[in-house]
Amino acid sequence: MKIKSIIAALLLCCSLQPLKAQTNHVYGEFLGVGLLGGFSYERMVMDKLAARVSYGGFTATSTSMISDADYGFTFVETEISVNPITAGAHYFFGDKFKAEIGAGISYWMVSFTGGASGDVGSLTITEDGGLLNLYTSVGLRYQNPDGGITFKLGLSPTIVLGDEGGSLAFPHIGLGYSW
């Protein structure tokens, strides 16, 4: 499912016909809508307007030992993985040094694995799911209109939809290349 979603988003973005001869932009981003980090592709679809798709990820693992007088020692291991896929649009102000604002949809693919093992046996629990969010982005970037190395930084608030509603505001910093 993850691979199919990524391929569909990339094909959609690449099939858009630009009104401008330039610009493709790829970059790696630390924090931001990709959570801990991610890779993004942007394509100009109109003057100063770009379509964006990205894929990111975050994984956390925890291991602990619990002592019980009746059952001895039990080892508990948990791992949670969140992989956001985003699609959105960004508008730019400026030439080489640009201000940008953007918004879009972020789908978080969530996977949880937990297990316990000890003297009386073991138990493993695996659960997969998804969470649909909205994201916004405000920032500054250096991107030469003729192409080359790019640099960006800003703030990417994510609005969590559903019963768990709320928001997370992540700063972001990115380095990439445009052509």
Side-chain angles (χ1 to χ4, degrees), residues 9 12 16 18 20 44 59 62 67-68 94 130 135 144 159 166 170 177:
L12 175 66
L16 297 172
K20 188 175 179 179
M44 296 301 288
T59 301
S62 172
S67 175
D68 186 293
Y135 82 89
N144 192 330
I159 301 157
F170 291 110
Y177 187 80

Side-chain angles (χ1 to χ4, degrees), residues 1 9 17 25 28 41-42 56 62-63 76 85 97-98 112 117 119 121 126 131 136 138 145-146 159 168 176 178:
M1 176 65 184
Q17 295 297 317
H25 184 216
Y41 171 75
E42 289 178 350
S62 172
T63 303
V76 178
I85 295 178
F97 293 94
K98 302 177 183 196
F112 172 81
S117 61
D119 296 339
T126 302
L131 185 61
T136 58
V138 177
D146 297 328
I159 301 157
L168 306 165
S178 66

